[in-house]
Amino acid sequence: MRMYDIIEKKRNGNELTEEEIRFFVDGYTKGDIPDYQVSALLMAIYFQDMSEQERAQLTQAMVDSGDKIDLTDISGIKVDKHSTGGVGDTTTLVLAPLVASVGVPVAKMSGRGLGHTGGTIDKLESVPGFHTEISNQEFIDLVNKNKVSVIGQTGNLTPADKKLYSLRDVTATVNSIPLIASSIMSKKIASGADAIVLDVKTGAGAFMKDLEDAKELAKAMVSIGKQVGRNTMAVISDMSQPLGFAIGNSLEVKEAIETLQGKGPKDLTELCLVLGSQMVLLANQASTIEEAREKLEESLANGQAFEHFKTFLSSQGGDPSVIDDTELLPKAAKQIQVKAKQTGTIESIVADNIGTAAMMLGAGRATKESEIDLSAGILLHKKVGDKVQEGEPILTLHTNQQEVNSVIDLIHKSILISDNAVAAPTLIYDTIT
Ligand code: URA
Ligand code: CA
C-alpha cells in the first residue's frame, strides 16, 4: 500500500477502505509517513469529506493507536458526558454527583488544559485537600462504592489524535466536521465509557458559532458512537452568553454547590437536568426521560445530590466543611463592580470575550506553564433579557491583580444594553439521537 495512492483516491472524492485508513493512521503515529503526505490527505478530506463509515473507521483507528481505559470492573453502564467547551460551563461539577446520586456510575478522567478557566480538576482543587492522583484500582473502587470518582489523565490515549490535531493546527484543517468528530469521539471511546451524552454548544463562546454547524457536528458524533457500539446522543445548547453566573474556578465550585442545593442559576440547573436525564436514561436507571428527570429533581430537592458531592470530594481528600461553608473557598483580595453606563435591557453578553476577561484576571492558563489563580474570575449579576439601571452593577470582578482597566474596557465592549425589549436566548436548541 502506498500513501501516494491513498491521497490521490481521496483527492478524487472516493471512499477509503478500512485498510487504507489504518495504514495512514498507524504509519503516521509510528513516524513512517511524513507530515507533508498526511497534510495533503487532511486537505483532501477537508474538501472531499468522509462517509459515515470512513468517519467511524478513522475514529476506531485513532482509538487503537494507544492505550484504552478498561472500566469493565465497574458495575453498571458507565455514561460519560462531553461538552464541546464554553465559558463558565459548570455542568460537569454538578452532573457528576447529581447523576451518581441516583445510581449512574460516573468514572471521569479529566484534565487541566488551557482556556478561560482551569479544567474540572483545577476547579475541584479549590476544595483544600482534594486530589486526583489516585491509582487505577482506587479509582475503580471509588466508583463502585460512591458511583463517582475523578482521576487525572493517565496512560497514552489516542497518540494518533495528538499528532493529527497538531498537524491540522498548522495546515488550516482544524475546521472539518469528519476530523473534529473523529478527534473528539476517539478520546471519549478510549476513555472507556459504554454510553456518551454530548453537549454541543453553539454561539459566540462556542467552537461551533453557527447552529447548523453545531447540528452537523452533533449528528456526525452520534453516528460514530453508534457505529462503534457506544450508545450516543447529543444536546445542542446555547453558548452565546456564559452559562450560569460564575466564571472562574472557586466561583464555579460555589455555583455548583448552590445548584446541587437547588438554589442555582436557572439556565445551569435546566441544562444539568436535561443532560442528566439523558445520562440516567442511557444508564438504564429510568425507563422514560420523564422518570429520569423526576429522579434528579427529587435528589436536588431532598439534599441527596448535595450530600453525594460531599462524599465524592471527601473520598479524595477534600475538606467537607468547605462544602458546607463556601466562605472557606479561595477568595480574591479585591472585588470590583462593573456598572451599567446606561438604563435598558441587556441585549448581549459576548461569551468568549467574558471568558478572555476572566483569563486576564488570572482564572485560566494562557500557556501550559501559567499558574492559575483559583480565586479569580467574574460573577455576573445580569443575563441577556434582564433590565438594568444606569449605575447598577452588571458583574463583579474577583482578582488579586493591581491593574484591571483593560479588563473593564473589554467588558464594556462585550456587554450591549438596548433601549428595546430583549428576550432571553433559547437554552436548548435540539436533541439528536
Ligand atoms: N476538540 C477536539 O478534541 N478535536 C478537534 O478536532 C476539535 C476540538
Ligand atoms: Ca457558570
Side-chain angles (χ1 to χ4, degrees), residues 265-372:
K266 233 171 74 189
D267 59 349
L268 175 62
T269 303
E270 177 60 22
L271 183 58
C272 288
L273 285 169
V274 168
L275 294 170
S277 308
Q278 297 288 353
M279 293 172 79
V280 172
L281 197 61
L282 288 189
N284 270 347
Q285 297 291 327
S287 44
T288 64
I289 197 79
E290 293 78 19
E291 185 195 341
R293 185 171 173 125
E294 270 168 33
K295 281 191 171 188
L296 296 176
E297 283 176 343
E298 194 183 314
S299 177
L300 287 178
N302 68 17
Q304 212 180 313
F306 172 67
E307 285 303 322
H308 221 93
F309 193 45
K310 265 204 275 191
T311 306
F312 154 49
L313 290 170
S314 56
S315 298
Q316 293 185 223
D319 178 355
S321 63
V322 176
I323 317 298
D324 285 320
D325 181 5
T326 54
E327 289 300 306
L328 300 172
L329 283 165
K331 213 170 185 172
K334 288 199 284 189
Q335 273 99 52
I336 302 161
Q337 291 185 337
V338 178
K339 295 174 178 162
K341 287 182 173 171
Q342 66 182 89
T343 296
T345 307
I346 307 280
E347 183 177 331
S348 64
I349 304 177
V350 182
D352 44 352
N353 290 356
I354 301 298
T356 302
M359 190 163 96
M360 288 161 78
L361 295 171
R365 289 184 186 85
T367 69
K368 268 189 209 156
E369 288 72 35
S370 323
E371 285 270 329
I372 275 190

